[in-house]
Amino acid sequence: MGHPEQTSFYDKVYAMVRQIPRGRVTTYGAIAAHLGSKQSSRMVGWAMNHSHKADPSLPAHRVVNRQGMLTGKHHFGSPTMMQQLLENEGVRVADDRVVNFREVFWQPRGTAS
DNA sequence: GGTGTGACCAGCT
DNA sequence: AAGCTGGCCACAC
């Protein structure tokens, strides 16, 4: 147990994002809290900034902020790509915000490692 | 090895 | 009610 994990913080976030079921969304804070530091939600967002380098591509469009707003939509190919991806999965988006966010919200479960 | 940065969150004014 | 500030930690230069 005391051995440091060689898995980068990014990989932890990526693994968490991959566990998000299709048609569901989660928040940066939820992932950060699951990783141990609820206040490190910025780290999650920053890790997502490099998510484009992850292979295969991560469902980054399933990660939104606490308010359910598509804050990272600007980091996609198109400013509307994130919304289209969500709507393609059945998640309705209006005014850059997820409709019924509390219903489609998915909380990470299982192991945080 | 210090400094800066970041797709956030919560609290204060 | 809405806007601003600080804090938080990992990673690149």
Side-chain angles (χ1 to χ4, degrees), chain A residues 6-47:
Chain A
Q6 297 181 350
T7 307
S8 299
F9 186 80
Y10 294 143
D11 293 335
K12 294 181 182 177
V13 176
Y14 298 160
M16 190 71 62
V17 175
R18 292 178 202 227
Q19 292 177 13
I20 304 175
R22 183 175 175 278
R24 301 276 185 178
V25 295
T26 190
T27 65
Y28 304 94
I31 298 175
H34 195 73
L35 292 178
S37 297
K38 180 169 92 177
Q39 299 178 306
S40 347
S41 40
R42 299 171 78 187
M43 272 61 289
V44 178
W46 192 32

Side-chain angles (χ1 to χ4, degrees), chain A residues 18 51-58:
Chain A
R18 292 178 202 227
S51 62
H52 68 96
K53 299 167 67 175
D55 182 31
S57 302
L58 299 177

